[in-house]
Amino acid sequence: MNDNASLLVVVDAANVVGSVPDGWWRDRRGAAERLRDRLASDGVPGASGPVEILLVVEGAARGVESVPGVRVESAPGSGDDHIVEVVTGAAERSVLVVTADRELRRRVGELGAEVAGPRTVRP
C-alpha cells in the first residue's frame, strides 16, 4: 500500500525492541521478527483509517522479511538515517515515527512527522 491518504507508521525496530529488557540482545533478529509479527496481528492501536506499517531494521536484524501488513526495510547503515530518508521521501503523507530516541525524534519532527514512544506498539 503506497496510498498518500494512508498514515505511514515507521517503527524503529532496534529502539522499540530495546525498550524492554526481555533478552532481545541474545537474538536480535528473532526479537525484530516477533515485533514484526505483533505489528502484523495487532496493527497500531489508536490509528484510525488506512495505515501502512514500515519496520526499519539494522545490524544483526537485517534480512528480516516483510509479511502481509508490515513492510520491512533493512537499513544499509544507520537505522536512524534510513528513517530520516523515509520521512523525507514521504512528501505529502502523514507520518508517525515510533521511537524513544531523542535525537531521531528531533530530526523527524523537524521534517513534520509525528512521533510516539515504543509503548504505542509494544505493551
Side-chain angles (χ1 to χ4, degrees):
M1 176 190 302
N2 239 350
D3 178 7
N4 283 346
S6 68
L7 171 66
L8 175 60
V9 178
V10 182
V11 179
D12 179 355
N15 187 269
V16 172
V17 163
S19 69
V20 178
D22 61 1
W24 58 264
W25 52 89
R26 291 188 293 271
D27 181 11
R28 293 170 195 259
R29 184 179 178 135
E33 289 170 339
R34 288 188 296 279
L35 175 58
R36 175 205 61 199
D37 294 346
R38 184 179 308 112
L39 290 167
S41 67
D42 298 348
V44 179
S48 60
V51 175
E52 177 185 0
I53 300 173
L54 171 62
L55 182 66
V56 175
V57 297
E58 63 184 334
R62 282 190 187 102
V64 170
E65 299 290 326
S66 296
V67 297
V70 179
R71 181 166 48 103
V72 180
E73 288 187 8
S74 294
S78 156
D80 291 1
D81 289 345
H82 188 73
I83 290 168
V84 169
E85 288 174 20
V86 167
V87 172
T88 300
E92 304 291 317
R93 292 183 77 177
S94 293
V95 180
L96 172 66
V97 175
V98 179
T99 185
D101 182 297
R102 285 191 183 118
E103 177 63 12
L104 179 58
R105 291 169 73 100
R106 183 194 63 77
R107 290 171 69 191
V108 298
E110 288 176 353
L111 297 170
E114 296 291 323
V115 293
R119 288 180 184 228
T120 303
V121 297
R122 183 166 190 180

